Amino acid sequence: MRGRREPQVTMLAFIDLESRVPADHPLRTIRRLADEALAALSSEFDRMYAEVGRPSIPPERLLKASLLIALYTVRSERAFCEELTYNLLFRWFLDMNLIEPSFDATTFTKNRQRLLANEVGQQLFDEVVAAAHEGGLLSDEHFTVDGTLIEAAASLKSFKPKAGDLPPTDGDPGNPSVDFHGEKRSNATHQSTTDPEARLLRKGKGKEARLVFMAHALMENRHGLLVDFQVTEATGTAERAMAPELLEEAKERYFRPRTVAGDKNYDTRDCVAAIRECGVTPHVAQNTSGRSSAIDGRTTRHPGYAVSQRLRKRVEEIFGWMKTVGGFRRTRFRGVDKTGLAGYLVATAYNLVRLARLVMQPDLAQAAA
């Protein structure tokens, strides 16, 4: 029988958010892991806020909201706050009831400086990595390092000379048409007026130059989890300069790096020597295009080198997820620090997705048996 629309709206309804979320929904595992990591930072949150005054939006809720923005590719914090008014799944994830109103988008802005000053983004990322390590899901010895460009929130029209005459425009102050024909532009002579910390760089030959930042990732090779993620200014040598630093920071924690894989960009004598000084064997791809490689047969003859070359490609999947799903292809913020905070939150969201799959696999296998 054909169903008919009921014009009479129910006056009273009881909705249990817990029952609306399926028992096998991956967000259940992600919420549990996120709550455990945030609980470990509770004392830090107590120190960040004053003991008197009007209660703020819980910092745990703001950080979990940032994770949802990355997990569900929400285009902005303002759009998220609008969607929070009617999205039951988001409210369940943030431990909000149906009556509680959504918070204002400026709450993110007002609390961002506090999160930066206390390095909360990095601490949350480290707590998730520590949980994965305690669960035996990380490789302590074999890693991959790589870098990628993150487009800055600045137009090339804002890349103007630091001193001297400005290029001619059509006089439109809102969106001028700028004539750069015949002008040589470089980071030494020009700077973005929108984001002075952004640098003009291109990824390779034939690629267009853009205002960008550089993101650096250190991935463990067993399950492809991130163990470190940092954002710096973009230079031609930033990737190679960061590789030894990432390895030294890993050694200061609970890792014992033995090998690190990388692409051909890391195949320089200075970079290979710096990695070896860290006590790590560089399993970087050989670059023999018109030159001799810094990696010789003493390294390539071992079976582990071939394994590292195969597994290092997983880091590109991480960058792909962060840029497409996580919305980190172009930063929404200005400056290295704010972009770095956003990068830590997107990297944390990626690790939570990977951990949820790894944690749920034994449960699914047991259920099938």
Side-chain angles (χ1 to χ4, degrees), residues 126-287:
D126 291 341
E127 288 293 337
V128 173
V129 173
H133 183 266
E134 293 174 1
L137 299 175
L138 293 181
S139 168
D140 288 344
E141 301 175 341
H142 305 290
F143 300 88
T144 294
V145 65
D146 202 1
T148 190
L149 298 181
I150 305 298
E151 189 174 349
S155 169
L156 283 176
K157 295 179 181 180
S158 70
F159 197 62
K160 301 177 181 180
K162 297 179 181 180
D165 298 332
L166 298 178
T169 68
D170 59 358
D172 182 2
N175 187 21
S177 297
V178 184
D179 184 11
F180 293 110
H181 184 71
E183 180 185 0
K184 294 182 179 181
R185 294 183 291 172
S186 69
N187 291 314
T189 58
H190 290 61
Q191 188 179 54
S192 171
T193 56
T194 304
D195 189 346
E197 297 183 33
R199 293 292 179 266
L200 188 68
L201 192 71
R202 61 179 181 177
K203 187 64 175 177
K205 294 182 178 179
K207 303 290 185 178
E208 64 177 340
R210 296 184 178 184
L211 291 172
V212 293
F213 296 102
M214 181 75 73
H216 311 270
L218 184 65
M219 178 195 75
E220 59 85 33
N221 289 353
R222 178 179 299 170
H223 289 125
L225 289 165
L226 283 171
V227 297
D228 203 352
F229 186 84
Q230 297 187 29
V231 175
T232 65
E233 291 186 353
T235 66
T237 60
E239 285 187 80
R240 296 188 292 272
M242 281 298 297
E245 183 175 337
L246 292 173
L247 292 172
E248 288 294 341
E249 292 183 3
K251 292 169 65 176
E252 291 176 359
R253 291 186 284 178
Y254 28 73
F255 298 108
R256 302 181 300 274
R258 292 182 55 191
T259 68
V260 59
D263 56 27
K264 293 182 179 181
N265 186 50
Y266 296 91
D267 185 15
T268 64
R269 298 196 181 279
D270 292 340
C271 181
V272 169
I275 294 176
R276 293 189 186 277
E277 289 180 2
C278 297
V280 182
T281 301
H283 282 183
V284 301
Q286 290 181 299
N287 185 3

Side-chain angles (χ1 to χ4, degrees), residues 343-359:
Y344 271 124
L345 294 174
V346 177
T348 301
Y350 171 81
N351 274 349
L352 288 172
V353 171
R354 287 289 298 149
L355 285 173
R357 294 176 181 175
L358 295 171
V359 171

